[in-house]
Amino acid sequence: MTAGSTPLWRYAAGRLVQAVPLLLGVVVVNFLLISLAPGDPVATLLGEYPAPPEYIAQLRREFGLDQPAPMRLALYAWNVVRGELGFSFAYRLPVATLVAGRLGNTFLLMVTALSLAALVGVGLGVTAARRRGSGLDTAATGISLAGYSIPDFWLAQLLVLFFAVFLGWLPAQGIRSVREEYTGLAAVLDTARHLILPAAALSFRYMALISRLTRASMLEAMSQDFILAARARGLPERLVLLQHGLRNAALPIVTVIGYNFAFVLAGSALVETVFGWPGVGRLLYDAMLQRDTPVLLGVLLMVSATVVVVNLLTDLLYAALDPRVRY
């Protein structure tokens, strides 16, 4: 820390305090948008069941739907401040319990997909920048173009058809085998086999994005005078590339990875649905079909809070990567 700069802990604490009104604003906007959407949660829950009017009125009282929207909003906001996210209409469980039960599966999928995208994307980008204009550079550009063009859910279905249905190499659905009871290392390997296809489908687009950005950042960094000075000192080319070039090109790459964390979380809803992955994304999809308003609000709030925390961690990482960054 230098004179005039704010300590990182104070900067982080200030950002967290600023996030409180932001998240409350997210709660209000989400509640109003979902309330304005067409459909009746009670009618969706009952389906074709010919329920008597008395039973329908009882359900509305139990769910608090007999109250006007402003009162329901005020009550929900107060409960969120107290740490309560409501009660699921469809599952008859607290929303916090539902989300917490699925969160680990979603984070497992997201961290795997983002790690895969970062490792492969940075590797492709560095290699393409080092061999600019070569066939490898052209191939990396083609892979990136395909990554931008193919939607996650469509790629997921193609992977299922080829690797699960046609070749039979990998499972198509779920997080573990339902016909076998694995324990210990066998259970870990079984989960890893189920993780390969959804992680590949979710990571492909972001791998392409990171690859293109890494290539452009590396080309800019490698044209700077300090690279010429490093080569003049006789440093090995690999050291010049990784220690001087990649380190100075890392800031925009870290920004893209942190910025896209929320998009990966949102994109996981479709991928989890295709692969039957029991995560928060699948929970969100089911809640939309069932008009389960408390679950919708709880998941959206969780996504918003995750974005705030990841953006803060990204900003803190800047200071670790570049000592010139001050807050």
Side-chain angles (χ1 to χ4, degrees), residues 156 159-160 163-164 170-172 192-202 271 275:
L159 292 176
V160 168
F163 289 101
L170 295 169
R193 288 186 70 245
H194 285 78
L195 183 60
I196 292 174
L197 291 184
L202 190 58
V271 174
F275 288 100

Side-chain angles (χ1 to χ4, degrees), residues 31-106:
F31 187 93
L32 293 177
L33 290 177
I34 292 175
S35 299
L36 291 174
D40 183 1
V42 174
T44 304
L45 188 64
L46 292 175
E48 301 295 330
Y49 178 71
E54 295 80 10
Y55 181 66
I56 295 175
Q58 178 187 343
L59 284 181
R60 290 189 178 282
R61 284 195 301 273
E62 290 180 2
F63 296 157
L65 297 174
D66 58 335
Q67 301 293 327
M71 183 166 294
R72 284 188 280 128
L73 171 58
L75 181 60
Y76 181 74
W78 173 242
N79 287 335
V80 169
V81 171
R82 295 190 304 161
E84 298 179 6
L85 298 179
F87 206 79
S88 168
F89 297 160
Y91 295 93
R92 303 299 181 102
L93 288 172
V95 173
T97 302
L98 274 174
V99 173
R102 305 286 189 96
L103 202 56
N105 296 336
T106 292

Side-chain angles (χ1 to χ4, degrees), residues 2 32 103 125 129 134 142-143 175 186-187 253 263 265 290 297 299 304 307:
T2 62
L32 293 177
L103 202 56
S134 66
I143 293 173
I175 191 173
I253 301 171
F263 292 101
L265 186 56
Q290 297 165 340
L297 291 170
V299 172
S304 302
V307 171

